[in-house]
Amino acid sequence: MKGFGIVFIGVVLQSFLASSFDPSPLQDFCVAINDARSPGILFLNGKFCKDPKYAVVNDFLFQGLNIPGNTENPNGSNVTLVNVDKLPGLNTLGISLARIDYAPYGLNPPHTHPRATEILVVMEGSLLVGFVTSNPDNKLFSKVLYKGDVFVFPVGLIHFQFNVGRTPALAFAGLGSQNPGVITIANAVFGSKPLIPVDVLEKAFQLDANIVAYLQRRFGEPSNY
């Protein structure tokens, strides 16, 4: 009976480990296509896969990441994301890339990637970066980075980057998903569609209802409050 218990525990642990990670690809690649009528397709992980014999070199190529993004916006930053929608050959490979441009004192505001860890390298300028751990600690890990510095943001945690310099800054980020997703905190909370009721946000943030309504006007549709 003791031997059976050990075997049973082993099986349970193996099952847990097997279900804790995304499965590895079972073929060299799975180029994404949007046309379900194309020959030799397979629907996998949200994207149709092209039959490998129809793959071409441009399925694995993205051009233009050398071009600076437009930072003329309220945050003073721009993210150029190369994910599976821009580079079909990324499908099922579990990785994507982003170029992030920052105007002087530009901000990539607090946000999360629900499906990816992010590793960021500063190419030009200096950035104040940080992430906040989950409840109950909500501990901030923050550091000023300079050219050549690398920082990692664990999957799902709120993080940010702020250009503390007087000149533009540039960073590149690798993300551990073909489609990492992004939730910008202010936009999600105050600009949801439809809007979260004012009463809910008033209580959650301990703010006056007029302030909540103002923030909703800034980030979303006009409030009925």
Side-chain angles (χ1 to χ4, degrees):
M1 191 67 181
K2 182 178 179 181
F4 172 79
I6 293 174
V7 171
F8 177 77
I9 292 172
V11 170
V12 170
L13 286 174
Q14 283 186 320
S15 299
F16 173 77
L17 291 172
S19 62
S20 298
F21 303 93
D22 291 334
S24 298
L26 300 179
Q27 58 194 50
D28 290 341
F29 52 81
C30 187
V31 174
I33 54 174
N34 295 317
D35 187 359
R37 298 168 297 179
S38 298
I41 62 165
L42 171 67
F43 191 76
L44 182 64
N45 200 24
K47 292 287 184 181
F48 291 104
C49 290
K50 180 185 293 188
D51 188 319
K53 68 185 178 184
Y54 294 109
V56 297
V57 68
N58 283 345
D59 291 330
F60 306 95
L61 173 69
F62 176 88
Q63 295 177 304
L65 215 56
N66 61 311
I67 301 172
N70 183 5
T71 59
E72 294 182 3
N73 56 65
N75 288 322
S77 69
N78 184 281
V79 178
T80 304
L81 178 64
V82 183
N83 63 2
V84 67
D85 293 325
K86 301 282 186 65
L87 184 54
L90 287 176
N91 199 35
T92 76
L93 298 184
I95 193 171
S96 56
L97 180 68
R99 173 188 174 125
I100 314 170
D101 291 278
Y102 310 83
Y105 307 110
L107 172 70
N108 189 10
H111 62 281
T112 73
H113 301 293
R115 295 180 291 275
T117 291
E118 175 181 345
I119 186 167
L120 178 133
V121 57
V122 178
M123 305 301 293
E124 297 292 343
S126 52
L127 298 175
L128 171 66
V129 306
F131 67 85
V132 179
T133 63
S134 56
N135 298 350
D137 294 336
N138 299 131
K139 183 176 180 179
L140 172 65
F141 289 85
S142 185
K143 185 78 172 177
V144 175
L145 305 183
Y146 301 94
K147 184 176 180 178
D149 289 347
V150 178
F151 199 83
V152 65
F153 305 104
V155 59
L157 297 187
I158 295 173
H159 59 283
F160 63 87
Q161 302 108 34
F162 178 60
N163 181 5
V164 293
R166 298 180 179 179
T167 59
L170 170 66
F172 285 92
L175 299 118
S177 170
Q178 66 184 42
N179 188 24
V182 62
I183 302 170
T184 305
I185 307 305
N187 298 69
V189 172
F190 295 106
S192 63
K193 298 180 180 63
L195 293 173
I196 298 173
V198 170
D199 291 347
V200 173
L201 297 179
E202 179 185 8
K203 191 172 185 68
F205 289 92
Q206 299 295 293
L207 293 174
D208 182 88
N210 289 306
I211 296 176
V212 173
Y214 167 77
L215 291 170
Q216 289 184 326
R217 288 194 297 272
R218 290 295 303 270
F219 291 99
E221 302 296 330
S223 173
N224 292 326
Y225 178 81

